[in-house]
Every structure is written in structure tokens, then in C-alpha cells.
């Protein structure tokens, strides 16, 4: 059977942007920034995106396009009889870890959407506000699991129906809508009493924060997570791209778009966090407490909340399908499974792990696999801060050192001019050195 392909370059762009823009920009960006002091984190995060993220994004897509295979098979094809393919397993492994908790958080988003449909969340149903509402919801056993299962079923359904059909069209409508909503929300949030404190938190770096090594790892991990980098999601999407499509413009476009969504979410969340005296370091629940509190104060907030959580759930869906696609494509080739069989098996295993993640907010909240981190935070830490950067490091070393310069430049559609050499120098030297320094300093 011939390998599947995108219909058009736009189809690829939409899918790749759909992969990038998701819970990472709103949910993860906000709580990681909130935990790491705001401004100093933002600065480092932007540094990681532009210096490392975008050049690597181009690199990752080009590997897939050149090899036309999955994250393990691409290395086997381009570097036969070498151990390079081994690094592809980081990607497969991180896909399992990430989607297992991503589906839980996306389930929360679906639950919120549902509560805006019924009108239940138009006003905080509890005296103590949305903090108590959220805490009560996630600590129950079955309810959050139901929403996780529903989300996972939707992801599998879309991946089964193939790469081309997917949800390209839905993305075309709802990504711009999500952007528009975020802009409106940012304006509203900035008009709240006390908003300026939030702005200062986000944009005025506390210079002493730079002396903490953990902030560098967090910024790097957030850049990788948000750009969908290092797992092989973009590599796999690139493998469905024909050779005549030009890559550098696409890579920059995807990177800028993703960063726009992150910064604008910061402008929604932090002014409101300070205006409503919410703790910026509340961790994963942060946006699920802050957002409904904003909607409650806002004219027509119930409707805005409804559309918002619908769009957020869709954004999560288009990211999740790119994660499921990584192991699905691998197992399809490895065991000659059908797309249907592969995605159902992989997706079910992920849901199974998701049960642990979800219960980690309830009966298993005392389970802390790493330090004081609960199950979600532990899985997230290993995947986003360690495995994704390692996957990216190996892609940089592969293209920078295993390929000859001319081969590398040709793979990414650049010429041997200033721009091409800059990209090559970054990928060959800067990316590996920076990632290694950050790793070593955090030990
Ligand atoms: N980039 C996605 C987001 O921001 C998450 C993701 C991570 C997708 C890794 C693919 C690979 O939500
Ligand atoms: Na993102």
C-alpha cells in the first residue's frame, strides 16, 4: 500500500499548527510560568523557542520528509546499520507518557465545556469559588475518567480515519476563533483592577530567578512541549509531505504562531490571577480555576466560556492526534498492523496509564514518584524536560554531524548562504551545547 500523503502544503501547515497549538500554550504555559517566577521564565522560554526551537523544528520535519518513515524507521532508513534508530524510542516512549496525561487534562476541558452547555458554570456553584469546584471534580474517581475516556475515544476515531481527512477543516475555523477569543479575553483581563501586577509578573523578570538551574530546564522543556518538538510528531507529519514543498517558511510560521498563543494566554491568565488573588503557583489547576472566574465576571461570560472550552478542547484534540500518530505509525510498520488496529491498541494503553494520572488527583494524591511531584507532574517532568530535549538533541546531532553540510542544507531547502550556514551552525553546535549545559547544570 502506498504511504499516505497530505493533499496540499496548507494541509500540512494546518495539521502541524494544530499539533503545536494546544493545552501546552494555555494550560501548561500558564502553570509553568507561574511556578517559575513569570518574567524570567518568559525570557528564557522565548530564547529557547527562537534559538533552539525553530531551527530544530525545521530539522525534525526535514528528517521525516527525507526518510518518509516513522520516528524509528526514519533513522533506520537514513542511517542503516547504525544505532541512531535507538534514539527514536525516546519519541515512542514520550508519546505514551505525554498522551496519558494530556488526555486527562483534555478531559477536564471537555467537562468544563459540558458545564457551560448546561449553564452550571455560569456562576460558581460553590461558596468557595471555582477552586473548590475544580478540586471537588478532579478528586472524584469516575467522573474525570469518563471525560478522559471520551476524549481518548475521539482521538482514536480521528487517527483511524487517516491523516488527510483528520480535523483539518475544523482547525481552519476554530484556531482563528480561539485566537480571537484569547485577544478579547486578554483585553478584558487587562481591564480588571490589579491587572498591572499581573503584567509586571509576566514581563518584569526577577533577576534573582536566573540563579536557579531548574528554571532553564523548565524553559527548555516548555519550548519543546509547546512546539511539539523532539517526539517525532512533526517528523511523522513531515513524512507525509512530498519533496516539492518548501520547509523553512513553514517552520518559522508554526513557531511564531505557537508563541503568539502562549504569550496571549499569559496576558489572559496573569492579570486575572492577580486581580482575583489566585496563587500563580497553583500548578496544573491554575487555568481551570482562573478562566471560569474571568468568565463569571464578564458580560456574556457564560457564552464566552462555552465557546472557549469548545475551542480549547478542539485544540487539544488536534495536538493529541499528532501524539497518537507517532507510535501508531511505528507499530503499523513494525507489526504490519492496520491503522485501526494500531491506534486502538496504542490509544487504549495510553488510557490505561491515564487512569493512574487521574487518580493521582484523588485517592492516589499521596503517590509522588519523583520528589514531591504527583503522578501527572512526574510523568510530565520525565517526558517534557528530559525525553523531548534528548530526542531533539539526537535530531540535531544526526543532521548536524551524520549528514554532510550539503545534504543537510538540501534536506531543509536552504542554500549555502548566510541563512543556510546560520541554521547549520545552530543545529550542529549551539543546540547540542546549550541542551547539554542545561542538562548538566540541573543535575
Ligand atoms: N504542542 C502540544 C501543545 O502545546 C503538545 C504536544 C507535545 C504535541 C508533543 C505533540 C508532541 O499542546
Ligand atoms: Na503548543
Amino acid at each position: 500500500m502506498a504511504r499516505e500523503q497530505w493533499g496540499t502544503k496548507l494541509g500540512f501547515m494546518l495539521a502541524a499548527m494544530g499539533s503545536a497549538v494546544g493545552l501546552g500554550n494555555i494550560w501548561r504555559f500558564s502553570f509553568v510560568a507561574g511556578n517559575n517566577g513569570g518574567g524570567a521564565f518568559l525570557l528564557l522560554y522565548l530564547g529557547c523557542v527562537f534559538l533552539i526551537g525553530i531551527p530544530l523544528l525545521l530539522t525534525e520535519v526535514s528528517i521525516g520528509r527525507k526518510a518518509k518513515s516513522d520516528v524509528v524507521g526514519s533513522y533506520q532508513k537514513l542511517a542503516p546499520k547504525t544505532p541512531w534508530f535507538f534514539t527514536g524510542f525516546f519519541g515512542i516512549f514520550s508519546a505514551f507518557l505525554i498522551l496519558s496525561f494530556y488526555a486527562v487534562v483534555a478531559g477536564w476541558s471537555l467537562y468544563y465545556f459540558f458545564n457551560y452547555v448546561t449553564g452550571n458554570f455560569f456562576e460558581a456553584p460553590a461558596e468557595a469559588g471555582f477552586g473548590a469546584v475544580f478540586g471537588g471534580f478532579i478528586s472524584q474517581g469516575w467522573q474525570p475518567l469518563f471525560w478522559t475516556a471520551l476524549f481518548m475515544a475521539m482521538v482514536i476515531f480521528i487517527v483511524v480515519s487517516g491523516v488527510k481527512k483528520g480535523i483539518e477543516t475544523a482547525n481552519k475555523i476554530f484556531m482563528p476563533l480561539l485566537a480571537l477569543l484569547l485577544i478579547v479575553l486578554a483585553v478584558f483581563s487587562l481591564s480588571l483592577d490589579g491587572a498591572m501586577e499581573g503584567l509586571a509578573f509576566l514581563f518584569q523578570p526577577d533577576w534573582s530567578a536566573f540563579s536557579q538551574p531548574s528554571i532553564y530546564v523548565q524553559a527548555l522543556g516548555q519550548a519543546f512541549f509547546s512546539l511539539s518538538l523532539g517526539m517525532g510528531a512533526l517528523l511523522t507529519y513531515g513524512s507525509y509531505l512530498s519533496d516539492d514543498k518548501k520547509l523553512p517558511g513553514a517552520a518559522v510560521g508554526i513557531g511564531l504562531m505557537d508563541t503568539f498563543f502562549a504569550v496571549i494566554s499569559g496576558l489572559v491568565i496573569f492579570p486575572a490571577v492577580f486581580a482575583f488573588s489566585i496563587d500563580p503557583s497553583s500548578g496544573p489547576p491554575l487555568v481551570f480555576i482562573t478562566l471560569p472566574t474571568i468568565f463569571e465576571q464578564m458580560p456574556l461570560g457564560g457564552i464566552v466560556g462555552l465557546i472557549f472550552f469548545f475551542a480549547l478542547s478542539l485544540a487539544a484534540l488536534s495536538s493529541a492526534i499528532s501524539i497518537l500518530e507517532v507510535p501508531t505509525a511505528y507499530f503499523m510498520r513494525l507489526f504490519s498492523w492496520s491503522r485501526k488496529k494500531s491506534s486502538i491498541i496504542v490509544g487504549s494503553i495510553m488510557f490505561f496509564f491515564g487512569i493512574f494520572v487521574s487518580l493521582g488527583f484523588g485517592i492516589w494524591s499521596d503517590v509522588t514518584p519523583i520528589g514531591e511531584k504527583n503522578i501527572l507532574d512526574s510523568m510530565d517532568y520525565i517526558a517534557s524536560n528530559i525525553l523531548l530535549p534528548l530526542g531533539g538533541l539526537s535530531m540535531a546531532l544526526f543532521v548536524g554531524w551524520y549528514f554532510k553540510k550539503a545534504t543537510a542544507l538540501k534536506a531543509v531547502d536552504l542554500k549555502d548562504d548566510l541563512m543556510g550556514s546560520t541554521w547549520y551552525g545552530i543545529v550542529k553546535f549551539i543546540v547540542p551545547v546549550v541542551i547539554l549545559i542545561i542538562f548538566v547544570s540541573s543535575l
Side-chain angles (χ1 to χ4, degrees), residues 301-316:
I303 307 294
V304 178
L306 187 149
I307 307 174
F308 181 87
F309 281 106
F310 184 73
L312 182 64
S313 304
L314 265 183

Side-chain angles (χ1 to χ4, degrees), residues 112-333:
Y112 271 54
F113 168 62
F114 174 74
N115 277 285
Y116 279 97
V117 172
T118 61
N120 203 13
F121 275 10
F122 282 25
E123 274 165 48
E127 196 64 28
F130 282 105
V133 172
F134 182 72
F137 163 62
I138 52 171
S139 61
Q140 293 166 8
W142 290 106
Q143 253 216 329
L145 279 179
F146 165 78
W147 294 100
T148 303
L150 182 66
F151 180 78
M152 209 58 215
M154 298 197 291
V155 179
I156 294 174
F157 178 80
I158 294 170
V159 170
V160 168
S161 52
V163 282
K164 245 194 241 171
K165 282 177 271 168
I167 51 169
E168 279 171 38
T169 357
N171 264 336
K172 227 184 278 184
I173 303 168
F174 285 100
M175 278 236 292
L177 187 66
L178 185 62
L180 191 75
L181 274 181
L182 283 169
I183 293 171
V184 172
L185 287 172
V187 171
F188 179 76
S189 195
L190 286 167
S191 74
L192 293 167
D193 276 340
M196 288 311 126
E197 223 182 310
L199 267 192
F201 178 79
L202 188 60
F203 290 114
Q204 265 174 22
D206 163 10
W207 300 104
S208 69
F210 289 108
S211 58
Q212 276 182 307
S214 65
I215 187 177
Y216 298 89
V217 186
Q218 296 286 353
L220 185 73
Q222 176 59 23
F224 270 86
F225 187 94
S226 194
L227 293 170
S228 302
L229 211 59
M231 173 195 286
L234 296 172
L235 183 155
T236 308
Y237 274 9
S239 76
Y240 305 128
L241 198 55
S242 58
D243 294 328
D244 52 338
K245 311 289 192 306
K246 295 283 169 277
L247 297 184
V252 174
I254 297 163
L256 287 178
M257 171 77 90
D258 188 65
T259 309
F260 165 78
F261 272 92
V263 173
I264 196 91
S265 336
L267 285 175
V268 174
I269 300 298
F270 290 108
V273 159
F274 284 88
F276 302 135
S277 317
I278 296 167
D279 178 6
S281 55
S282 309
L286 182 67
V287 298
F288 288 93
I289 300 168
T290 312
L291 284 167
T293 314
I294 300 177
F295 298 138
E296 195 183 27
Q297 308 281 320
M298 196 178 179
L300 294 179
I303 307 294
V304 178
L306 187 149
I307 307 174
F308 181 87
F309 281 106
F310 184 73
L312 182 64
S313 304
L314 265 183
L317 198 55
S318 57
S319 299
I321 59 176
S322 75
I323 304 175
L324 183 56
E325 184 68 21
V326 173
T328 296
Y330 171 62
F331 288 116
M332 277 169 73
R333 182 181 58 80

